[in-house]
Amino acid sequence: MASRHLHIASPLIESRALERRVDSRVLLKMDALQPTGSFKIRGIGLACQRLHARGCRRFVSSSGGNAGLAIAYAGRKLGVPVTVIVPESTRERARSLIGEQDAEVIVFGQSWQEAHEHAQNLLDAESTYLHPFDDPVVWEGNATLIEEVLADAPGIDTIVVSVGGGGLLCGIARGLRIAGRTDVKLVTAETRGADSYAQSLHAGELVTLDEITSIATSLGAKTVAAAALAVANDFDVDARVVTDREAVDACLRFADDHRVIVEPACGAALALVYGNNEAVRQSRTLLTVVCGGSGVTYRDLSTLDLDKS
Ligand SMILES: *Cc1c(COP(=O)(O)O)cnc(C)c1O
């Protein structure tokens, strides 16, 4: 019997290690501990449950990353077959993690764009394609993170969160709006070369990157959701960019401090706190969203080739 949600209420813990770096209380929302290792199961899980209830018979995805993994997990839990189309460049580890969730993995094309187009061709009346971040149902599911945090720590004044396409950010903003907490400051983190959100915010309009040059592939949306840009209409948003090196170093420190492995995508947010970035200095109670990620092992983190940064 399926439980009400496919995600878990993740632990909210104090971090003495990070509190040594900044002048505030630091709370960690440990979504790295979700089944499949990232927050993605919150929004995608809800989207899959809604589609299942409406009679959808197959989920189709073109994500070889944490979104594809969350869809594969949701499909297995709901008894809905899942097909994930990934390009040849997708690493063996990602393919096998998705396969472990009993999803069908089809390797097609040289680029994500080709795989994505092939996925659209496979759709029929009973199959649904799931977008990883630009979907209000995904934001609704991601907002559960804030419900859980505010129930335990109503005093937070600042949230540090990584941004890829902005689905997590939109969910956080949604949860805060519903709770009447638009006073909370949002500090967004990206890596250089995947900084489509910071560039859009500074330009005041959506900016599309020519290519993604950061190793933080989970942040690699060339264009963010329009709703993510609109978050800045309601909130004080401070968009910050770190180097790949800073993000990876934060992952390694975090592994030592908290014994949890996260992707550089998540390390970007941690790097702002470890580095006592000026964006977090006014905070008294800082929430850091440990968004997680299953794409890297400790060995990967310690041997990454970071010539570019
Ligand atoms: C998807 C993902 C992100 C970015 O989330 P968006 O909703 O695309 O902004 C950040 N970190 C990890 C680990 C992810 O899987």
Side-chain angles (χ1 to χ4, degrees), residues 37-40 65-67 132-134 138-139 142 161-170 189 217-221 224 228 262-267 290-295:
S38 81
F39 74 93
K40 288 263 184 359
N66 296 309
F133 60 82
D134 202 357
V138 167
W139 310 335
N142 288 343
V161 58
S162 297
V163 175
L168 177 57
L169 178 68
C170 288
T217 49
S218 293
L219 302 185
V224 301
V262 299
E263 285 182 20
C266 176
V290 184
C291 52
S294 292

